[in-house]
Amino acid sequence: GKRRQQCSKSDPNLQGRLEVLPLEPRGSKLQEETVKFNTMPTCDNALSKDNLIVLYSNTCSLKNKLDELSIFVTEYNPDLILLCETWANSDTTNAFLTLDNYNIICRHDRTDTTCGIGGGLIVYAKKSINCREVTNDNISDFNQACAINVSLMNNTELCFYLIYRPHNTYDTRSVEVNNDKLINLIKSAKKNCFLFGDFNYSNIDWKNMRTDKKTMNFLDA
């Protein structure tokens, strides 16, 4: 089946620690992870914060899970929320997807499938967090990815990528070409970058870092 994957390219001189903390499923349809990064975001009411908390999930349709998402947000109080497979489309307004005390920093619906099914990305940030969407050719060329920069008090930035590599059955582009674009995107990531998403490479043994020849280039990246 699908596996959520997260990796990072981090500056060893940056004081901080990245830890993945699986949440209790409690019968939930959301597949979620939280990440705590020991740092200090730039915002007036976060000067005493020790961690930047990130909530990531593959929602498999966000529209019918907004109430459940709100419960998780209330309980875990994340600074950033990164969601893929939203299945949103042009009929889904930002107002409908709004969460209290959060801004939608970026939203990218899947436009090459029926009603956006099989993709879609959205990133929320607390209104107090200083962040912005960033893009480049490697991000815009791949189907699908987005990225944001979060400014820190020490005049550095953390970059968070949200990636969804579509299943081959959904992909209307050349699968091989799109996979190559993903590899280029990963290789272009600079220090202090964290990659979240669903890469749909279920044949990779992440514990032992092994895979078949077909996906070796991705694992090497």
Side-chain angles (χ1 to χ4, degrees), residues 165 168 179 183 199-206 208-221:
R165 189 186 78 89
N168 294 346
N179 290 347
I183 292 171
F199 299 101
N200 282 309
Y201 280 126
S202 57
N203 54 328
I204 294 178
D205 179 354
W206 289 96
N208 298 303
M209 297 300 286
R210 297 175 181 172
T211 188
D212 55 24
K213 185 177 180 180
K214 185 177 180 181
T215 53
M216 182 58 70
N217 287 339
F218 168 79
L219 191 60
D220 287 343

Side-chain angles (χ1 to χ4, degrees), residues 1-207:
K2 293 187 294 184
R3 171 178 175 137
R4 303 178 307 283
Q5 292 125 20
Q6 164 266 324
C7 55
S8 68
K9 291 187 176 182
S10 181
D11 183 351
N13 296 318
L14 182 68
Q15 296 299 316
R17 177 175 57 85
L18 187 67
E19 180 180 358
V20 179
L21 303 172
L23 305 184
E24 293 295 330
R26 302 175 189 172
S28 168
K29 294 181 181 179
L30 280 175
Q31 300 175 348
E32 71 294 325
E33 290 179 351
T34 58
V35 171
K36 286 186 177 181
F37 188 80
N38 187 19
T39 185
M40 195 168 291
T42 300
C43 52
D44 292 340
N45 61 356
L47 295 180
S48 61
K49 287 176 65 67
D50 294 324
N51 297 292
L52 182 69
I53 302 175
V54 181
L55 172 66
Y56 161 75
S57 177
N58 179 319
T59 62
C60 287
S61 181
L62 175 59
K63 291 184 287 185
N64 61 359
K65 298 182 178 74
L66 282 171
D67 289 341
E68 186 177 354
L69 176 61
S70 295
I71 293 172
F72 278 117
V73 169
T74 300
E75 183 172 358
Y76 294 100
N77 194 29
D79 298 295
L80 302 176
I81 304 170
L82 283 64
L83 307 175
C84 66
E85 278 211 87
T86 59
W87 296 10
N89 54 59
S90 58
D91 293 331
T92 311
T93 65
N94 278 354
F96 179 78
L97 299 175
T98 296
L99 295 174
D100 290 342
N101 302 316
Y102 288 84
N103 290 322
I104 296 175
I105 305 302
C106 56
R107 170 186 167 183
H108 296 275
D109 300 338
R110 187 97 188 262
T111 59
D112 60 337
T113 62
T114 302
C115 298
I117 294 174
L121 309 171
I122 193 167
V123 176
Y124 298 87
K126 280 185 177 177
K127 292 182 178 180
S128 56
I129 299 295
N130 183 6
C131 62
R132 58 188 173 85
E133 182 176 9
V134 295
T135 189
N136 56 47
D137 289 342
N138 288 313
I139 295 173
S140 59
D141 285 349
F142 174 69
N143 187 13
Q144 283 185 295
C146 65
I148 67 167
N149 278 357
V150 176
S151 299
L152 306 180
M153 291 189 66
N154 56 1
N155 296 320
T156 62
E157 288 186 321
L158 299 180
C159 184
F160 294 85
Y161 286 79
L162 178 59
I163 297 170
Y164 179 74
R165 189 186 78 89
H167 282 297
N168 294 346
T169 53
Y170 285 122
D171 199 355
T172 57
R173 301 184 183 186
S174 166
V175 175
E176 184 176 349
V177 170
N178 203 48
N179 290 347
D180 287 342
K181 290 179 178 180
L182 174 58
I183 292 171
N184 291 336
L185 186 157
I186 294 173
K187 288 182 175 180
S188 70
K190 300 179 181 179
K191 64 183 180 180
N192 302 337
C193 289
F194 303 92
L195 282 66
F196 292 79
D198 191 341
F199 299 101
N200 282 309
Y201 280 126
S202 57
N203 54 328
I204 294 178
D205 179 354
W206 289 96
K207 182 178 180 179

